């Protein structure tokens, strides 16, 4: 799908109602892929002729038809979900789209040496709409033949501060399973909370002791952080130099969530190798004698 053609149209014509956006995108995917069988979760998002939202859906379908769009895949869904994050939320949460090629490189590198792939526990602690988790699930499914039902229950874990991101992650993972012929209702290990709460008492015990942590941590400079977020960063030693960036504590959290011998795979800026505000992060890596 040539997404550059639809982005300006969506910006002009689509509201910021997360439920409506989700319903339109899911119905587009179902329509373009001729999906006739789906589970009860996905059925909640289908817009039918005669529904209140059908007029808006029809506008989008007509636009795509004029643009000769004939294909919509799961990677397009990720790009669409990332595009409709409001600018104000993007400033606060630091969400950035990670290209498929980079996600797959990270996932393949982190999982290729896992001795027991069928029982590996993988987390993305700033998962957004779930691109990394989708690639992990596909990798495990292809290598082991394990069902997506069991992979979602036993292998992948996601955390995000935005409830709409967690919902979109569920949508993406449901559509992945359906695309592979699994139509049952699914359970997920997805947590809608602030990952910075990891050092607070009462953290969720299931969300630790991982074999692998992958992802694209949030990028928010100190001047754009909300007061509560800035206060939480003070719980992390790596933030005790300069004006911290939100991605910096996510390194420490990921390392501390790993079991001994675990692997972390991030896409990130290389400024932490020399910047003042990452001095304590470099010290953290050095004192832990981590292999990078």
């Amino acid at each position: 799908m040539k997404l550059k053609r639809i982005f300006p149209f969506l910006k002009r014509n689509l509201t910021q109602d997360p439920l409506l956006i989700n319903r339109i995108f899911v119905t587009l995917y179902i329509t373009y892929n001729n999906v006739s069988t789906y589970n009860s979760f996905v059925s909640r998002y289908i817009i039918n002729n005669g529904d209140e939202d059908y007029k808006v859906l029809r506008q989008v379908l007509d636009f795509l038809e004029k643009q000769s769009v004939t294909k919509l895949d799961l990677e397009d869904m990720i790009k669409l979900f990332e595009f409709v994050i409001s600018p104000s939320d993007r400033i606060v949460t630091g969400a950035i789209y990670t290209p498929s090629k980079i996600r797959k490189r990270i996932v393949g590198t982190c999982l290729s040496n896992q001795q027991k792939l069928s029982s590996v526990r993988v987390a993305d602690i700033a998962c957004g709409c779930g691109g990394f988790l989708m690639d992990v699930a596909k990798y495990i499914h292809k290598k082991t033949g394990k069902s997506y039902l069991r992979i979602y229950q036993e292998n992948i874990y996601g955390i995000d501060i935005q409830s709409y991101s967690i919902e979109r992650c569920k949508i993406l993972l449901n559509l992945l399973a359906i695309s592979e012929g699994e139509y049952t209702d699914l359970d997920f290990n997805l947590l809608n909370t602030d990952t910075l709460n990891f050092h607070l008492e009462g953290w969720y015990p299931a969300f630790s002791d991982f074999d692998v942590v992958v992802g694209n941590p949030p990028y928010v400079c100190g001047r754009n952080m909300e007061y509560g977020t800035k206060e939480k960063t003070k719980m992390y030693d790596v933030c005790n130099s300069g004006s911290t960036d939100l991605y910096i504590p996510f390194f420490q959290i990921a390392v501390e969530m790993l079991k001994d011998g675990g692997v972390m795979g991030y896409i990130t800026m290389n400024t932490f190798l020399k910047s003042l505000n990452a001095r304590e992060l470099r010290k953290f890596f050095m004192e832990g004698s981590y292999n990078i």
Side-chain angles (χ1 to χ4, degrees), residues 111-261:
L111 295 183
S112 60
N113 293 321
Q114 294 295 318
Q115 298 299 312
K116 297 181 179 179
L117 191 58
S118 62
S119 59
V120 69
R121 298 176 74 247
V122 185
D124 182 348
I125 61 176
C127 66
C129 68
F132 272 98
L133 295 180
M134 179 187 77
D135 289 337
V136 171
K138 289 169 69 174
Y139 186 97
I140 296 173
H141 177 75
K142 180 179 180 180
K143 296 291 185 179
T144 69
K146 192 172 183 178
S147 70
Y148 285 108
L149 172 67
R150 290 187 57 211
I151 290 171
Y152 297 163
Q153 290 174 337
E154 300 170 6
N155 299 108
I156 61 174
Y157 296 75
I159 307 172
D160 201 274
I161 195 170
Q162 296 289 358
S163 59
Y164 61 72
S165 291
I166 292 296
E167 191 67 11
R168 288 166 183 171
C169 187
K170 291 179 181 179
I171 289 171
L172 186 71
L173 295 176
N174 268 281
L175 293 178
L176 171 61
I178 288 169
S179 72
E180 298 281 350
E182 292 187 34
Y183 307 110
T184 58
D185 287 314
L186 304 163
D187 298 316
F188 301 97
N189 301 300
L190 298 174
L191 185 60
N192 176 209
T193 194
D194 187 349
T195 302
L196 291 176
N197 292 337
F198 180 62
H199 272 193
L200 294 178
E201 186 177 352
W203 179 255
Y204 307 86
F207 286 79
S208 60
D209 202 33
F210 294 115
D211 299 290
V212 176
V213 174
V214 294
N216 190 349
Y219 303 96
V220 183
C221 63
R223 67 177 178 272
N224 289 331
M225 278 191 211
E226 295 180 331
Y227 175 78
T229 300
K230 195 173 292 188
E231 287 297 298
K232 287 180 182 179
T233 64
K234 294 177 181 178
M235 295 188 290
Y236 299 93
D237 295 337
V238 295
C239 297
N240 292 334
S241 59
S243 177
T244 196
D245 189 297
L246 190 54
Y247 81 92
I248 290 176
F250 274 73
F251 271 102
Q252 181 176 344
I253 294 169
V255 170
E256 291 180 352
M257 281 186 173
L258 288 169
K259 62 173 59 173
D260 289 344

Side-chain angles (χ1 to χ4, degrees), residues 99-111 132 135:
S100 172
K101 183 178 180 180
I102 296 174
R103 296 197 318 266
K104 290 178 180 177
R105 172 72 179 272
I106 291 173
V107 168
T109 301
C110 291
L111 295 183
F132 272 98
D135 289 337

Side-chain angles (χ1 to χ4, degrees), residues 14 33 43 68 84-85 110-111 133 143 154 169 200 230 268 285-286 291:
L14 211 56
N33 291 278
S43 68
S68 301
V84 295
I85 297 174
C110 291
L111 295 183
L133 295 180
K143 296 291 185 179
E154 300 170 6
C169 187
L200 294 178
K230 195 173 292 188
T268 188
F285 285 143
M286 183 180 67
N291 293 323

Side-chain angles (χ1 to χ4, degrees), residues 274-288:
K274 56 185 179 181
S275 65
L276 172 63
N277 69 355
R279 184 173 56 193
E280 291 298 318
L281 177 59
R282 294 192 293 275
K283 180 181 177 182
F284 174 77
F285 285 143
M286 183 180 67
E287 291 181 345

